[in-house]
Amino acid sequence: MFLHGRDLSVPLLIRTIRRLTKEKVQMASEVSSLLWNQVAERASAKEEASILKAELDLRTRRLETKKNELQSVLEKKLDRRSSDWSLKLEKYQIVQHRLRERARELAEQNVSLQREVSSFNEKEGDNRIKMSFSEKHLEDLSKRI
């Protein structure tokens, strides 16, 4: 043992036991203090983690709320713009339909006018022939007189 070869007097043994007991109590106190410090640090870390988690949850909820608000605003804008474009498209389609109807009417009028011009040209040709015939007839009559 560790006392082998030493003086084994009772008072020396009692002092050694007291010293060792004191050291043991002191070491136990130090270990206890270290354990209490660790427990306190863990509790503090848990509390800090809990506070940080709550803060993160709060920020997450705020961001989620903000995201939902922005999404709602954007959807409303998109719906409004879509509605605006739908109305514009409908107006342009109405105008396009009117213009096509007007183009069809003008095409019909053009055909009718071309027929009239043809008819006038034909009548003009007939009238020239009649005039020419009348002039000749007048000449003939004038010669006879």
Side-chain angles (χ1 to χ4, degrees):
M1 290 212 165
F2 74 94
L3 296 174
H4 187 24
R6 290 190 166 191
D7 192 12
L8 295 179
S9 67
V10 173
L12 182 62
L13 284 175
I14 290 174
R15 272 189 307 219
T16 304
I17 289 172
R18 282 185 183 157
R19 183 179 52 80
L20 289 174
T21 302
K22 190 176 179 184
E23 286 178 10
K24 181 180 172 184
V25 168
Q26 187 178 353
M27 287 173 68
S29 175
E30 288 175 10
V31 168
S32 176
S33 178
L34 288 172
L35 288 175
W36 277 112
N37 285 340
Q38 280 185 343
V39 168
E41 285 178 17
R42 284 184 185 169
S44 176
K46 280 184 180 179
E47 186 179 334
E48 188 175 345
S50 177
I51 291 170
L52 290 174
K53 185 181 182 313
E55 193 175 309
L56 179 63
D57 289 346
L58 178 65
R59 286 181 182 180
T60 302
R61 281 192 302 275
R62 284 180 184 163
L63 285 174
E64 189 70 29
T65 301
K66 187 69 174 174
K67 180 196 79 144
N68 290 339
E69 289 171 358
L70 288 174
Q71 186 173 357
S72 176
V73 167
L74 289 175
E75 286 174 355
K76 286 177 184 175
K77 280 184 179 181
L78 183 63
D79 288 346
R80 184 176 41 83
R81 287 183 181 175
S82 177
S83 179
D84 290 349
W85 282 109
S86 293
L87 287 173
K88 286 179 182 180
L89 176 63
E90 188 177 332
K91 287 178 183 177
Y92 287 130
Q93 286 174 338
I94 290 170
V95 168
Q96 182 183 30
H97 178 73
R98 286 182 189 157
L99 290 174
R100 284 186 177 160
E101 280 295 312
R102 183 68 179 139
R104 187 187 55 74
E105 290 171 4
L106 290 174
E108 288 174 1
Q109 284 179 358
N110 189 26
V111 167
S112 176
L113 288 173
Q114 286 176 349
R115 284 183 187 147
E116 283 184 43
V117 166
S118 261
S119 174
F120 285 140
N121 285 339
E122 195 176 299
K123 286 179 183 176
E124 185 181 12
D126 288 348
N127 287 338
R128 282 187 184 162
I129 291 172
K130 286 179 185 177
M131 250 173 88
S132 176
F133 178 74
S134 294
E135 285 174 355
K136 249 187 183 177
H137 186 66
L138 183 62
E139 243 178 72
D140 288 343
L141 287 176
S142 294
K143 285 181 186 174
R144 279 190 201 168
I145 297 185

